[in-house]
Amino acid sequence: MSDLFTPYELRGLTLRNRIVMPPMCQYAVEKQDGMPNEWHFVHYVSRAVGGTGFIIVEMTGIHPDGRITRHDTGIWSDDHIEAYRKITDSVHASGAKIAVQLGHAGRKAIDAEPPVAPSAIAFDANSKTPQALSKAGIVELIEAYAEGARRAVQAGFDTVEIHGAHGYLIHQFHSPLTNIREDEYGADLALFGEQVVTAVRNVLPADMPLLMRISAKEYVNGGYDEAYALEICRRYKDAGVDMFHVSSGGEGPIGSNGGPNAGSAYQVNLAEFIRSGLQVPVIAVGRLDSYPVAQSIIAEEQAELVAVGRGMLSDPYWALHAEEALGSVQNVPKPYERGIWNRSRL
């Protein structure tokens, strides 16, 4: 039976354990040029030292106006490659693997003038009305995703994750709430995301898996449910996605249909639904900072990997502390062996 500390393989990617640091925006690019800096280096490498098996770098803009804010990281230029290489080399030296999440915020790009989206529908009353993308603009962005993936490979990332969740551009295309186009991208709401997946898959090495983050449920009135998401994911799987990172929401303010029960493991049932419906490996995420809960998700085969976000913001050594608490201390770095790792942590 697998547990949190069982290695995992997908295509040519081998992870030392099932613990993932999910992408979390740092808003720390002071020069506003998209370039990761010393903050990002310490932030990611410290989690590799702390025992994490797989690190996914925060949503990284494939276009300058695709960032949520100007303080986000980017990968729209070859000039970014070496800065990421410094991070990937050091993460690898500490025994972890690392991906970058490629994304475009669409109508949620706060600093874009104007933001772009499938349709000219603002996120809320306080947001800018986006400009509806032309077909030429759509083609350019699909190519930008592919170019971002090419740079990621050159920068030493072990794989890439496409961000198709949380109300950002791909989610905006496949949601009926935000895509009211009258062309082929409105007639087929999965088309844009499918074309992005295909373009990215085509530039990745054959042994490199492709991940995608998806919101498996919307929470505003009239939002789609997990059955709808399953069929969208089916299209993305057929286009080349090897694993889904299953989240939810982000399309707008929570509506009156109940919204998420944001307690421990509140999204795991969605991950399990996508996993069983498509026979595809998944990453579960969402309030999974309890060691026993994370362990049970793997042991009960609800997901292949478990992502711990807030827990790792609080504790860079979450994975090592999980090993200690669950009785499987294996990966303490030699310089830290004299530390006390036998505290009870739940």
Side-chain angles (χ1 to χ4, degrees):
M1 184 177 67
S2 297
D3 62 18
L4 274 178
F5 314 108
T6 304
Y8 181 72
E9 295 183 9
L10 183 64
R11 288 196 185 230
L13 177 69
T14 301
L15 307 178
R16 63 185 174 188
N17 58 43
R18 306 298 184 97
I19 302 169
V20 180
M21 179 185 182
M24 294 175 284
C25 290
Q26 297 296 291
Y27 307 110
V29 182
E30 295 177 358
K31 295 183 179 179
Q32 302 185 16
D33 57 1
M35 198 75 68
N37 54 38
E38 288 302 311
W39 173 269
H40 302 91
F41 179 85
V42 172
H43 176 62
Y44 294 114
V45 176
S46 63
R47 273 67 183 183
V49 172
T52 306
F54 188 35
I55 293 164
I56 307 178
V57 169
E58 63 205 82
M59 188 173 94
T60 299
I62 51 97
H63 186 279
D65 284 341
R67 294 171 290 172
I68 303 169
T69 77
R70 294 193 184 101
H71 296 284
D72 294 319
T73 53
I75 198 165
W76 64 79
S77 168
D78 286 356
D79 293 340
H80 293 122
I81 293 172
E82 285 307 310
Y84 288 112
R85 170 65 75 172
K86 179 182 176 183
I87 295 172
T88 60
D89 284 349
S90 292
V91 165
H92 291 150
S94 292
K97 299 297 174 65
I98 185 168
V100 62
Q101 186 186 72
L102 303 178
H104 191 294
R107 68 177 186 167
K108 295 176 78 173
I110 295 170
D111 293 328
E113 294 290 353
V116 296
S119 302
I121 303 171
F123 176 67
D124 59 26
N126 298 317
S127 300
K128 301 170 186 173
T129 299
Q131 177 179 313
L133 280 160
S134 66
K135 289 186 182 179
I138 289 172
V139 171
E140 289 175 5
L141 287 181
I142 292 168
E143 178 62 22
Y145 276 99
E147 284 294 287
R150 175 187 63 79
R151 295 184 186 104
V153 174
Q154 293 182 3
F157 286 102
D158 298 292
T159 184
V160 302
E161 177 177 276
I162 298 170
H163 201 344
H166 298 167
Y168 298 123
L169 186 64
I170 293 175
H171 184 168
Q172 290 163 29
F173 267 92
H174 69 228
S175 173
L177 296 173
T178 47
N179 184 351
I180 56 172
R181 298 176 68 93
E182 296 182 352
D183 61 5
E184 62 267 39
Y185 292 98
D188 180 357
L189 300 190
L191 180 60
F192 176 74
E194 180 182 65
Q195 290 179 341
V196 169
V197 170
T198 299
V200 170
R201 178 73 265 172
N202 285 342
V203 302
L204 297 183
D207 65 345
M208 184 176 285
L210 175 58
L211 282 62
M212 189 171 193
R213 200 171 210 191
I214 190 81
S215 283
K217 184 177 182 179
E218 294 183 326
Y219 295 110
V220 300
N221 292 333
Y224 65 69
D225 62 11
E226 51 266 52
Y228 178 90
L230 183 72
E231 296 311 310
I232 295 291
C233 288
R234 192 183 307 279
R235 293 279 298 278
Y236 297 157
K237 177 189 175 185
D238 291 345
V241 172
D242 296 292
M243 171 178 271
F244 289 98
H245 191 170
V246 184
S247 187
S248 63
E251 75 289 344
I254 294 174
S256 60
N257 65 341
N261 174 16
S264 178
Y266 75 99
Q267 296 175 147
V268 172
N269 64 319
L270 296 174
E272 192 172 16
F273 181 81
I274 298 297
R275 181 182 188 270
S276 62
L278 296 181
Q279 298 299 297
V280 64
V282 298
I283 305 172
V285 66
R287 306 288 187 178
L288 302 181
D289 53 331
S290 163
Y291 309 139
V293 169
Q295 175 81 304
S296 69
I297 291 167
I298 302 300
E300 295 174 15
E301 299 184 345
Q302 294 176 286
E304 279 66 31
L305 304 177
V306 170
V308 179
R310 291 173 177 85
M312 284 198 194
L313 290 181
S314 174
D315 180 8
Y317 302 101
W318 189 95
L320 293 179
H321 291 144
E323 287 188 8
E324 176 208 11
L326 298 170
S328 179
V329 178
Q330 304 173 40
N331 295 308
V332 177
K334 188 173 181 59
Y336 289 176
E337 285 178 352
R338 288 173 294 174
I340 300 173
W341 294 93
N342 60 356
R343 295 163 295 172
S344 175
R345 300 175 63 95
L346 296 176

